[in-house]
Amino acid sequence: MDPAIEIPRLLDVMPASGRMNAKITSKPEMPKAIDCPFPVPWRQEWPIFINFDLWSQLSLPQRDLLLLRTVTWLQRVQWLKLDLYQGVAIAGFLGSLIELAGADPVGAIAAGGLSFFAGSQIWRNNRSTQSELAADEAAIQVAQRRGYSETEAAAHLLAAIETAAKIERRPSLSFSELIRCQNLRAIAGISPLGVPKEF
């Protein structure tokens, strides 16, 4: 597969809001078909890495849905949405700056620790199963604007997750992927059982 042809096609599939920030890069040595680093607030650009040798083994709808799912997940990571953890992280950061200015290393370490704890909670929340399921459903909504029906999009994303695991030679799906697949089966009408509310 020629990245020079596939990358512009993928950019066209993306929602306009994702197109402004996402940067697709070929990474042939990567063991995954598609991957992206966790977005950090000080970087405006979202690098998305694709191993085009593995990527070419997915069908076109599978590629579309995997890309849309990656972009919607990146868009859903919110560092600056004000809630408890963001407030604590900001307060801890400002507190550590004040303590450093006042030459109080113990206070600076305590405030920095508080900020680190809050930041790790933000990271964990954005990597939670609930966040993963929400990103899948957002990708399905975007796919519907690209001509897929809801059930088709869910079925293609389900197949993409399972196919990616095979071509990446992984022995099994992760726990999060198993939960996502069950939810996608319910959306696609393949299974009457969805994901329990606690997830």
Side-chain angles (χ1 to χ4, degrees):
M1 175 177 289
D2 185 358
I5 295 171
E6 180 68 354
I7 289 174
R9 190 191 75 76
L10 293 174
L11 289 171
D12 195 46
V13 169
M14 276 187 211
S17 54
R19 209 174 298 143
M20 294 186 318
N21 299 93
K23 184 178 191 302
I24 300 173
T25 306
S26 176
K27 198 169 186 183
E29 71 279 5
M30 186 173 68
K32 291 184 173 183
I34 186 169
D35 198 16
C36 62
F38 192 83
V40 287
W42 54 87
R43 285 192 69 176
Q44 293 297 315
E45 196 173 79
W46 304 330
I48 298 174
F49 302 114
I50 296 178
N51 178 334
F52 284 98
D53 291 333
L54 298 177
W55 190 250
S56 65
Q57 296 176 51
L58 296 160
S59 70
L60 188 137
Q62 290 172 359
R63 296 194 308 260
D64 287 353
L65 267 297
L66 268 186
L67 177 80
L68 288 175
R69 197 262 172 206
T70 301
V71 172
T72 54
W73 178 79
L74 287 166
Q75 288 178 315
R76 295 184 69 78
V77 174
Q78 296 181 346
W79 282 97
L80 302 177
K81 181 187 79 175
L82 279 180
D83 68 6
L84 174 66
Y85 292 119
Q86 279 84 350
V88 170
I90 292 167
F93 178 72
L94 292 175
S96 63
L97 289 178
I98 291 166
E99 296 298 332
L100 280 173
D104 181 4
V106 175
I109 290 170
L114 185 64
S115 185
F116 175 79
F117 168 75
S120 67
Q121 283 299 119
I122 296 167
W123 185 89
R124 195 174 304 135
N125 288 345
N126 284 308
R127 282 288 191 187
S128 68
T129 304
Q130 184 181 13
S131 173
E132 300 277 346
L133 293 172
D136 287 346
E137 291 173 13
I140 290 167
Q141 288 176 0
V142 176
Q144 289 178 76
R145 297 196 295 267
R146 301 292 182 268
Y148 295 96
S149 71
E150 182 182 35
T151 54
E152 283 175 338
H156 289 311
L157 184 54
L158 170 64
I161 293 167
E162 294 171 339
T163 305
K166 287 177 190 169
I167 64 177
E168 292 166 4
R169 292 188 169 83
R170 288 190 275 139
S172 63
L173 296 174
S174 69
F175 175 75
S176 176
E177 287 172 324
L178 289 169
I179 297 295
R180 290 172 57 206
C181 286
Q182 185 57 44
N183 189 51
L184 291 168
R185 282 188 190 94
I187 295 170
I190 298 168
S191 170
L193 298 173
V195 175
K197 292 284 185 198
E198 56 266 25
F199 284 106

